[in-house]
Amino acid sequence: MATTGRGAARGAALFFALAVIAAGVGWLFVGQPPPVRQTTLIADTVLEIQAGGRSGRAAVEAALARAGQLEQKFDRYRPDSVVARINAGAGGEWQTVDDDCWQVLTRGQQVAEVSCGYFDLTIGPLVDLWAIGKKNQRPDERDIAVARSLVDYRQLEMDSAGVRRVRLARPGMSIDLG
Protein backbone atom coordinates (compact mmCIF):
# COMPACT_ATOMS: atom_id res chain seq x y z
CA MET A 1 0.00 0.00 0.00
CA ALA A 2 2.94 2.31 0.64
CA THR A 3 4.03 1.80 -2.94
CA THR A 4 0.60 2.80 -4.16
CA GLY A 5 0.79 5.97 -2.05
CA ARG A 6 4.17 6.91 -3.53
CA GLY A 7 2.91 6.13 -7.03
CA ALA A 8 -0.19 8.24 -6.46
CA ALA A 9 1.95 11.09 -5.14
CA ARG A 10 4.23 10.90 -8.19
CA GLY A 11 1.21 10.78 -10.46
CA ALA A 12 -0.33 13.78 -8.74
CA ALA A 13 2.96 15.68 -8.95
CA LEU A 14 3.31 14.82 -12.65
CA PHE A 15 -0.29 15.85 -13.29
CA PHE A 16 0.26 19.12 -11.44
CA ALA A 17 3.49 19.83 -13.40
CA LEU A 18 1.78 19.13 -16.72
CA ALA A 19 -1.16 21.33 -15.74
CA VAL A 20 1.20 24.20 -14.88
CA ILE A 21 3.07 23.79 -18.19
CA ALA A 22 -0.18 23.61 -20.16
CA ALA A 23 -1.51 26.70 -18.41
CA GLY A 24 1.73 28.55 -19.11
CA VAL A 25 1.73 27.59 -22.78
CA GLY A 26 -1.96 28.44 -23.04
CA TRP A 27 -1.28 31.83 -21.49
CA LEU A 28 1.17 32.59 -24.33
CA PHE A 29 -1.63 32.22 -26.87
CA VAL A 30 -4.35 34.12 -25.02
CA GLY A 31 -5.38 37.09 -27.11
CA GLN A 32 -3.71 35.74 -30.26
CA PRO A 33 -5.89 35.79 -33.36
CA PRO A 34 -6.63 32.44 -34.96
CA PRO A 35 -4.32 31.33 -37.78
CA VAL A 36 -5.02 32.83 -41.20
CA ARG A 37 -5.34 30.34 -44.04
CA GLN A 38 -5.81 31.09 -47.70
CA THR A 39 -5.96 28.78 -50.72
CA THR A 40 -5.47 29.88 -54.30
CA LEU A 41 -4.47 28.53 -57.69
CA ILE A 42 -0.98 29.58 -58.77
CA ALA A 43 0.79 28.10 -61.80
CA ASP A 44 -1.99 25.53 -62.19
CA THR A 45 -1.24 24.27 -58.67
CA VAL A 46 -3.33 24.59 -55.53
CA LEU A 47 -1.37 26.64 -53.04
CA GLU A 48 -2.44 26.79 -49.40
CA ILE A 49 -0.69 29.16 -47.04
CA GLN A 50 -1.29 29.38 -43.30
CA ALA A 51 0.30 31.70 -40.76
CA GLY A 52 -0.48 32.47 -37.16
CA GLY A 53 0.18 35.26 -34.72
CA ARG A 54 -0.59 38.91 -34.91
CA SER A 55 1.09 39.33 -38.29
CA GLY A 56 -0.42 36.16 -39.77
CA ARG A 57 -2.63 37.98 -42.26
CA ALA A 58 0.24 40.16 -43.47
CA ALA A 59 2.49 37.08 -43.81
CA VAL A 60 -0.11 35.22 -45.86
CA GLU A 61 -0.68 38.25 -48.10
CA ALA A 62 3.07 38.71 -48.61
CA ALA A 63 3.54 35.04 -49.46
CA LEU A 64 0.69 35.11 -51.97
CA ALA A 65 2.05 38.28 -53.57
CA ARG A 66 5.49 36.67 -53.92
CA ALA A 67 3.99 33.52 -55.42
CA GLY A 68 2.13 35.70 -57.93
CA GLN A 69 5.34 37.52 -58.87
CA LEU A 70 7.12 34.23 -59.48
CA GLU A 71 4.24 32.90 -61.54
CA GLN A 72 4.38 35.97 -63.79
CA LYS A 73 8.12 35.62 -64.13
CA PHE A 74 8.22 31.89 -64.92
CA ASP A 75 5.01 31.32 -66.91
CA ARG A 76 6.25 30.48 -70.38
CA TYR A 77 2.88 31.37 -71.91
CA ARG A 78 3.12 35.00 -70.75
CA PRO A 79 4.93 36.90 -73.52
CA ASP A 80 6.53 39.26 -70.97
CA SER A 81 7.95 36.50 -68.74
CA VAL A 82 11.64 35.70 -68.37
CA VAL A 83 11.06 32.13 -69.52
CA ALA A 84 9.16 33.26 -72.64
CA ARG A 85 12.07 35.58 -73.47
CA ILE A 86 14.59 32.74 -73.09
CA ASN A 87 12.45 30.44 -75.22
CA ALA A 88 11.95 33.07 -77.93
CA GLY A 89 15.74 33.47 -78.16
CA ALA A 90 16.46 29.75 -78.48
CA GLY A 91 19.44 29.15 -80.74
CA GLY A 92 20.38 32.82 -80.60
CA GLU A 93 21.65 35.42 -78.19
CA TRP A 94 22.28 35.06 -74.49
CA GLN A 95 19.49 36.31 -72.23
CA THR A 96 20.31 38.12 -68.98
CA VAL A 97 18.34 36.76 -66.02
CA ASP A 98 17.68 37.91 -62.46
CA ASP A 99 18.54 36.04 -59.25
CA ASP A 100 15.17 34.27 -59.02
CA CYS A 101 15.48 32.84 -62.50
CA TRP A 102 19.13 31.95 -62.01
CA GLN A 103 18.38 30.05 -58.82
CA VAL A 104 15.47 28.11 -60.33
CA LEU A 105 17.41 27.18 -63.47
CA THR A 106 20.52 26.25 -61.49
CA ARG A 107 18.54 23.98 -59.18
CA GLY A 108 16.69 22.48 -62.14
CA GLN A 109 19.98 21.71 -63.86
CA GLN A 110 21.31 20.07 -60.70
CA VAL A 111 18.25 17.85 -60.47
CA ALA A 112 18.52 17.03 -64.19
CA GLU A 113 22.12 16.01 -63.69
CA VAL A 114 21.52 13.72 -60.70
CA SER A 115 18.44 12.19 -62.37
CA CYS A 116 20.41 11.55 -65.59
CA GLY A 117 17.96 13.74 -67.49
CA TYR A 118 14.72 12.17 -66.25
CA PHE A 119 13.94 15.64 -64.92
CA ASP A 120 14.57 18.11 -67.72
CA LEU A 121 13.65 21.80 -67.81
CA THR A 122 13.84 21.77 -71.62
CA ILE A 123 10.72 19.56 -71.90
CA GLY A 124 8.78 22.38 -73.59
CA PRO A 125 8.67 20.89 -77.11
CA LEU A 126 7.05 17.69 -75.81
CA VAL A 127 4.62 19.64 -73.60
CA ASP A 128 3.58 21.61 -76.68
CA LEU A 129 3.30 18.54 -78.89
CA TRP A 130 1.10 16.68 -76.45
CA ALA A 131 -0.78 19.87 -75.52
CA ILE A 132 -0.38 18.85 -71.90
CA GLY A 133 -3.00 20.53 -69.77
CA LYS A 134 -5.01 21.66 -72.79
CA LYS A 135 -6.52 18.71 -74.70
CA ASN A 136 -6.04 15.02 -75.24
CA GLN A 137 -4.33 14.14 -78.46
CA ARG A 138 -1.86 11.54 -79.60
CA PRO A 139 0.86 12.89 -81.90
CA ASP A 140 2.48 10.60 -84.43
CA GLU A 141 5.83 8.94 -83.75
CA ARG A 142 7.75 11.16 -86.21
CA ASP A 143 6.58 14.33 -84.44
CA ILE A 144 7.46 12.81 -81.08
CA ALA A 145 10.97 12.00 -82.30
CA VAL A 146 11.47 15.56 -83.57
CA ALA A 147 10.26 17.06 -80.28
CA ARG A 148 12.43 14.65 -78.25
CA SER A 149 15.49 15.75 -80.22
CA LEU A 150 14.92 19.27 -78.85
CA VAL A 151 14.84 18.13 -75.21
CA ASP A 152 18.30 18.09 -73.62
CA TYR A 153 19.09 19.84 -70.37
CA ARG A 154 22.79 19.89 -71.32
CA GLN A 155 21.91 22.37 -74.09
CA LEU A 156 20.57 24.90 -71.61
CA GLU A 157 23.71 26.97 -71.33
CA MET A 158 24.34 29.05 -68.24
CA ASP A 159 27.07 31.65 -67.86
CA SER A 160 27.75 33.35 -64.55
CA ALA A 161 30.95 35.13 -65.53
CA GLY A 162 30.08 38.78 -64.95
CA VAL A 163 26.33 39.03 -65.50
CA ARG A 164 24.15 35.93 -65.17
CA ARG A 165 22.84 34.87 -68.53
CA VAL A 166 21.38 31.80 -70.18
CA ARG A 167 20.49 30.52 -73.60
CA LEU A 168 19.06 27.49 -75.28
CA ALA A 169 21.60 26.16 -77.76
CA ARG A 170 19.22 25.20 -80.57
CA PRO A 171 16.22 26.85 -82.21
CA GLY A 172 12.96 25.16 -81.25
CA MET A 173 14.09 24.30 -77.73
CA SER A 174 12.03 25.63 -74.83
CA ILE A 175 11.98 25.60 -71.06
CA ASP A 176 8.85 24.60 -69.18
CA LEU A 177 8.91 25.08 -65.41
CA GLY A 178 5.47 23.55 -64.95
Side-chain angles (χ1 to χ4, degrees):
M1 214 159 188
T3 306
T4 305
R6 256 194 255 142
R10 284 186 188 158
L14 179 60
F15 175 77
F16 180 73
L18 290 174
V20 168
I21 291 170
V25 171
W27 180 81
L28 291 174
F29 294 105
V30 170
Q32 292 290 322
V36 175
R37 176 183 296 156
Q38 192 165 344
T39 303
T40 189
L41 188 66
I42 299 263
D44 292 331
T45 302
V46 175
L47 176 64
E48 182 177 311
I49 299 175
Q50 178 176 324
R54 292 194 169 114
S55 60
R57 180 160 308 285
V60 167
E61 289 172 2
L64 289 172
R66 179 68 172 139
Q69 290 171 348
L70 294 175
E71 178 184 37
Q72 289 178 1
K73 191 177 290 193
F74 297 138
D75 182 350
R76 72 188 203 114
Y77 300 107
R78 290 180 61 97
D80 59 336
S81 77
V82 175
V83 172
R85 185 170 40 89
I86 294 167
N87 291 344
E93 298 296 316
W94 288 90
Q95 303 293 319
T96 302
V97 297
D98 65 7
D99 288 339
D100 289 332
C101 188
W102 185 261
Q103 289 176 17
V104 168
L105 295 179
T106 298
R107 182 56 55 107
Q109 290 295 83
Q110 291 168 347
V111 174
E113 188 68 35
V114 298
S115 70
C116 299
Y118 283 101
F119 178 87
D120 193 326
L121 297 174
T122 66
I123 194 76
L126 285 171
V127 171
D128 291 340
L129 181 64
W130 286 88
I132 294 175
K134 303 217 181 331
K135 59 183 176 179
N136 292 328
Q137 67 179 29
R138 170 77 177 153
D140 66 45
E141 293 301 318
R142 186 178 57 83
D143 289 340
I144 293 171
V146 169
R148 285 184 72 180
S149 73
L150 295 170
V151 177
D152 185 354
Y153 72 94
R154 294 167 296 211
Q155 293 189 36
L156 170 57
E157 300 171 341
M158 300 180 68
D159 177 24
S160 63
V163 66
R164 292 176 172 172
R165 57 194 193 141
V166 300
R167 74 174 169 187
L168 293 163
R170 296 177 27 223
M173 292 184 74
S174 63
I175 295 169
D176 188 305
L177 299 179

